[in-house]
Amino acid sequence: MSETPPNTLQYRVDGPGDAPVLVIGPSLGTTWHMWDRQVPELTRQWRVVRFDLPGHGGAPARPFTSVAELGDRLLATLDELGVQRFGYAGCSIGGAVGLDLALRAPHRVASLALVATSPRFGSADEFRQRGVIVRTHGLEPMARTAPEQWFTPGFAATQPAIVEWAVQMVRTTDPGCYIGACEALALFDVRDSLGRIGIPALVLVGADDQVTGPAEARTLVAGIADARLAVVPGASHLAPVEQPGAVTDLLTNHFAGIVHDTQSALPAPPMPPVSAPVVPVAEIAPAPAPELAGSARPDTYDEGLKLRREILGDAHVDQVLADEFGADFQSLVTRYAWGEVWSRDGLDRRTRSCVTLTALIAGGHLEALADHTRAALRNGLTPAEIREVLLQTAVYCGMPAADSALRVVSRVIKEETTPQA
């Protein structure tokens, strides 16, 4: 185990110091120990570098905001170790890191194994709601449902010690880092970029995986030019834990051809030369052109739509945009409310949610209040903080307005924070 400077990851190295390097990434809610049963065989040929996600396995709780940021931290960690080129295997969000590296740093990755991975993990809405649930109830709901998501029923019934070990991994994760990972997965989508991956890839999936199953695996194989599919019978999401022998054999065979390919780094794509600018001794700057009335404003629609989806959710935005009669109004809202006001840096999202809730309560706009209560939860307000907003509005906006709002807000909070059975 290592000390972890800022912007790097907690890691562990096993195997000969002069062997080619194989980097292995974990799934959300797990630690590097999910790969324990692969390591003895893998270290016969490779120097294995395992890493923990921030806030997992006792790693420092430094949340990340995107899969790309997690990939940057991993590359910084490998730079510290002097590792330039490596094979990479990752499970679930660990596989997402592999896809990111294959797209942004292909000269570093010799070969790729994607375990229980998807180019798009579910929907952004469900991951953001998962974050809301953790912010409200902690990680216990996630820990309670982990066994049925990670293992087949037969394995869970016959291996209670492993199931309890898995549950404890989730319980000991930092909630803020878990929420940050959910936000990162909500934003992750490389479906349109798979054709750019030229690295040989093994796509490995448990036959009974209900989280990222064979359908998602086939999407990866169809999109990546040099990819092959391996479906592991009798395994669910954590196939390396449930079927360690089969997964080890598949990884060993896949990475066998890269032993010599990891010994030296391939150069990064060359940057075009930049000639040195000529600096004049003195220069009279031209007078700025006068700004013409009615000059074109930058179009903020795309930025506004992205932010609107992040805060209100894809399902809500898709519903309102489907109304052809209201298309012009929705365009106006997207550009000005979201692209110009919500996107400003002067207030953070939590504060803007407090202001918005107050204004909607004062105006009696209960339907919009429901939408923005959901948004407030996604923006990081807790139910207790929203309750304080209601009490404040009762004093300054009137008891009847706050009373009507209370019914709407209570219903929405219950819907959004109740864990799935």
Side-chain angles (χ1 to χ4, degrees):
M1 190 181 295
S2 67
E3 295 296 327
T4 54
N7 300 320
T8 61
L9 300 173
Q10 177 171 285
Y11 65 88
R12 170 174 177 154
V13 182
D14 296 281
D18 58 349
V21 174
L22 179 62
V23 180
I24 304 183
S27 175
L28 176 60
T30 73
T31 72
W32 63 46
H33 289 295
M34 68 162 285
W35 296 99
D36 279 353
R37 297 177 74 179
Q38 279 71 50
V39 168
E41 184 63 31
L42 293 179
T43 50
R44 293 176 182 272
Q45 299 183 65
W46 294 285
R47 182 185 181 204
V48 176
V49 179
R50 289 181 283 174
F51 66 90
D52 274 329
L53 301 174
H56 291 59
R62 301 174 184 137
F64 56 97
T65 59
S66 68
V67 171
E69 181 183 344
L70 185 58
D72 287 340
R73 294 191 196 180
L74 176 58
L75 290 178
T77 304
L78 295 173
D79 289 343
E80 283 199 346
L81 290 170
V83 175
Q84 291 300 306
R85 191 158 167 82
F86 50 88
Y88 183 88
C91 181
S92 197
I93 193 172
V97 172
L99 288 168
D100 173 73
L101 295 179
L103 289 166
R104 296 194 303 120
H107 57 290
R108 303 282 299 264
V109 185
S111 191
L112 191 62
L114 305 170
V115 181
T117 303
S118 175
R120 179 78 174 97
F121 289 80
S123 72
D125 288 354
E126 65 184 85
F127 273 102
R128 291 196 173 102
Q129 184 176 15
R130 188 187 296 190
V132 168
I133 290 172
V134 172
R135 193 176 289 113
T136 306
H137 299 289
L139 281 163
E140 186 58 31
M142 302 300 115
R144 194 166 54 245
T145 58
E148 64 192 56
Q149 293 184 334
W150 288 354
F151 306 120
T152 59
F155 182 87
T158 59
Q159 300 291 337
I162 293 178
V163 169
E164 180 58 25
W165 160 79
V167 167
Q168 289 304 319
M169 280 195 295
V170 181
R171 284 183 176 142
T172 55
T173 297
D174 176 76
C177 289
Y178 190 99
I179 293 168
C182 289
E183 291 292 333
L185 288 173
L187 296 172
F188 183 76
D189 188 352
V190 296
R191 289 173 293 182
D192 294 338
S193 303
L194 294 177
R196 291 169 38 213
I197 296 177
I199 297 167
L202 169 68
V203 179
L204 191 157
V205 63
D208 299 311
D209 190 344
Q210 303 299 311
V211 181
T212 49
E216 287 82 0
R218 292 187 178 95
T219 300
L220 289 171
V221 172
I224 300 172
D226 187 6
R228 64 187 184 93
L229 176 66
V231 180
V232 179
S236 186
H237 195 59
L238 290 193
V241 177
E242 195 163 7
Q243 294 293 342
V247 171
T248 302
D249 289 345
L250 287 165
L251 293 178
T252 301
N253 291 334
H254 175 68
F255 288 111
I258 68 159
V259 171
H260 300 294
D261 196 14
T262 60
Q263 300 297 337
S264 60
L266 294 182
M271 298 294 290
V274 179
S275 58
V278 177
V279 181
V281 175
E283 183 175 297
I284 299 175
E291 186 174 327
L292 299 178
S295 59
R297 296 164 60 96
D299 191 347
T300 58
Y301 183 85
D302 289 342
E303 181 182 358
L305 183 60
K306 178 177 179 290
L307 187 57
R308 193 177 185 185
R309 287 186 177 280
E310 285 181 18
I311 293 177
L312 292 179
D314 288 333
H316 169 80
V317 175
D318 288 341
Q319 181 181 10
V320 298
L321 294 184
D323 178 15
E324 293 184 9
F325 182 78
D328 290 340
F329 175 77
Q330 295 302 331
S331 177
L332 177 73
V333 170
T334 299
R335 281 185 168 86
Y336 294 103
W338 296 98
E340 294 201 11
V341 177
W342 269 93
S343 61
R344 290 173 64 88
D345 295 330
L347 296 174
D348 61 31
R349 291 188 187 181
R350 285 167 47 88
T351 304
R352 290 191 187 278
S353 278
C354 288
V355 174
T356 302
L357 292 177
T358 302
L360 293 173
I361 293 170
H365 306 301
L366 298 183
E367 184 173 347
L369 177 63
D371 296 331
H372 277 277
T373 300
R374 295 185 182 92
L377 291 166
R378 293 178 180 209
N379 282 343
L381 289 178
T382 65
E385 289 170 327
I386 294 175
R387 183 170 60 241
E388 293 301 318
V389 172
L390 282 166
L391 289 171
Q392 194 79 4
T393 56
V395 174
Y396 290 97
C397 302
M399 295 292 180
D403 183 56
S404 298
L406 176 63
R407 299 189 191 99
V408 173
V409 170
S410 297
R411 172 178 57 81
V412 172
I413 288 176
K414 184 177 181 180
E415 292 171 355
E416 293 296 309
T417 63
T418 300
Q420 295 181 352

